[in-house]
Amino acid sequence: IFNLMFTLSFLAAPIGKPTITVAHNTSSNSIYLSWKPPSADEIFGEFLGYRITYHARDVKPENVNEIFIRDSSVEVSISYIAW
């Protein structure tokens, strides 16, 4: 299960979230994600990047892994996912 959200801004927390447009596995331990960013009026302050959190379906959501993307990319391939 994946959750894509913004990290932070210097003024206030963003109110918008990215919209996932593509999400599929590329192997047994990697995935490809693509998304549309939120509109500029939903981002307050300086855009710092994205935070992607994920966890295995049968694992408690408290045990999540995180990946930080510190640019304005709108796609990522995540390999060697360790559940």
Side-chain angles (χ1 to χ4, degrees):
I1 296 175
F2 290 88
N3 186 13
L4 178 65
M5 62 181 74
F6 278 97
T7 53
L8 1 131
S9 69
F10 289 118
L11 295 178
I15 59 172
K17 290 179 14 176
T19 303
I20 296 177
T21 56
V22 177
H24 62 83
N25 61 310
T26 56
S27 73
S28 62
N29 64 352
S30 62
I31 62 157
Y32 171 82
L33 295 172
S34 177
W35 58 89
K36 288 183 190 177
S39 63
D41 62 341
E42 296 177 317
I43 303 170
F44 305 116
E46 180 183 359
F47 174 79
L48 299 176
Y50 297 100
R51 178 179 67 180
I52 299 172
T53 60
Y54 64 92
H55 63 87
R57 200 173 283 194
D58 58 347
V59 174
K60 293 181 182 179
E62 303 89 50
N63 301 326
V64 299
N65 296 300
E66 292 185 329
I67 296 172
F68 294 94
I69 300 174
R70 305 215 184 265
D71 59 36
S72 59
S73 298
V74 293
E75 65 180 3
V76 66
S77 292
I78 304 170
S79 298
Y80 307 108
I81 295 173
W83 303 113

